[in-house]
Amino acid sequence: MSLSGLDIVLFRPKYAENVGSVARAMLNMGVKSLTLVDPVGYEADRALPLATVHARHLVEGARILPDLRQALEGASWVLGTTARTGGWRKGILTPARAAGEEVLPRLREGGRVAIVFGPEDRGLTNEETSLCDQLVMIPAHPDCTSLNLSQAALILMYECYQASLEKPFTPAGPPTEGDVGFQERERLMESIQAALTDIDYLRQQNADYWMLPVRRLFARFRLRRNEYNLLMGIARQVRWVAGRGAAGGDKG
């Protein structure tokens, strides 16, 4: 059974051969959507032998985009992969938990879920993980520094496929009108950051870092349309009041 609505996003992959291997793994698990973001020196001809003739269509049909934000448009939820913990990287899920508790429920409701993999040599940076709702890490032996890109992709897709077999479902169509997606959550975070900056709650230097706990807080919830509208209205009102206070101070 194919995992309709699951998007595999490879951010700046360095080796076309790995793209081909990921495509072959996608075929094995019934995943049909592949996106490459700013691939390094990418040549499809080098990817095709690893994809084999069976997954050739996935390589040839892959979207190639210049920007990660653009690649995530339309996603109802974004799962980023990491091999590191600590600092900005908190609340990390296991592959099985991510698949069963987060990915499958959203796919069942007709939403689209993006799983993002970083470059082979360094993975996703803090800037890129900040765009993800949650992070997943694949446990490995301490002697292993990192998994091959296609291995990591296969493990996560396998867990999603296994979860779909345990809880068979038929996509219910478009996401419910009450759910908000990636673009709207980003607009909300921008509005909240601007409001918190206007009232001097956030430090001007490295504001994105200080916003991370706020992002992580909202990533824990499935934000509904009415809640989104409420929070956007609050952020606008905070900025308006802060602006009036600043104007009054200038007059004084």
Side-chain angles (χ1 to χ4, degrees), residues 16 21-22 79 84 86 97 99 110 118 122-123 129 139 143-144 159 168 177-178 223 240-241 246:
S21 294
V22 169
L79 179 65
R84 303 190 301 276
R97 183 179 174 191
R122 61 172 177 80
T129 59
D143 292 341
C144 175
E159 292 292 353
E177 187 64 26
L223 199 61
W240 181 75
V241 172

Side-chain angles (χ1 to χ4, degrees), residues 124-233:
L124 298 173
T125 67
N126 290 336
E127 179 181 358
E128 289 122 31
T129 59
S130 70
L131 300 180
C132 302
D133 293 301
Q134 281 194 277
L135 299 177
V136 61
M137 184 174 69
I138 300 171
H141 191 276
D143 292 341
C144 175
T145 56
S146 64
L147 292 173
N148 174 270
L149 175 59
S150 61
Q151 292 174 331
L154 178 59
I155 289 172
L156 287 170
M157 288 187 287
Y158 170 80
E159 292 292 353
C160 292
Y161 182 68
Q162 286 297 107
S164 73
L165 293 179
E166 294 169 6
K167 301 177 182 178
F169 67 91
T170 301
T176 61
E177 187 64 26
D179 289 335
V180 300
F182 171 76
Q183 298 101 308
E184 290 160 312
R185 287 199 302 275
E186 282 300 295
R187 284 196 290 271
L188 177 60
M189 290 301 101
E190 291 169 1
S191 296
I192 290 176
Q193 180 168 336
L196 294 178
T197 300
D198 285 352
I199 62 174
D200 293 327
Y201 182 83
L202 286 182
R203 299 183 183 182
Q204 291 287 348
Q205 288 186 326
N206 208 6
D208 290 339
Y209 175 81
W210 298 109
M211 267 294 293
L212 191 64
V214 180
R215 283 181 170 273
R216 290 289 178 255
L217 173 64
F218 280 95
R220 293 165 53 191
F221 308 107
R222 299 192 64 176
L223 199 61
R224 310 296 290 182
R225 177 72 55 185
N226 62 325
E227 296 166 338
Y228 167 80
N229 291 334
L230 172 66
L231 292 168
M232 286 291 284

Side-chain angles (χ1 to χ4, degrees), residues 198 239-252:
D198 285 352
R239 298 204 70 190
W240 181 75
V241 172
R244 287 185 61 192
D250 291 341
K251 292 177 181 179

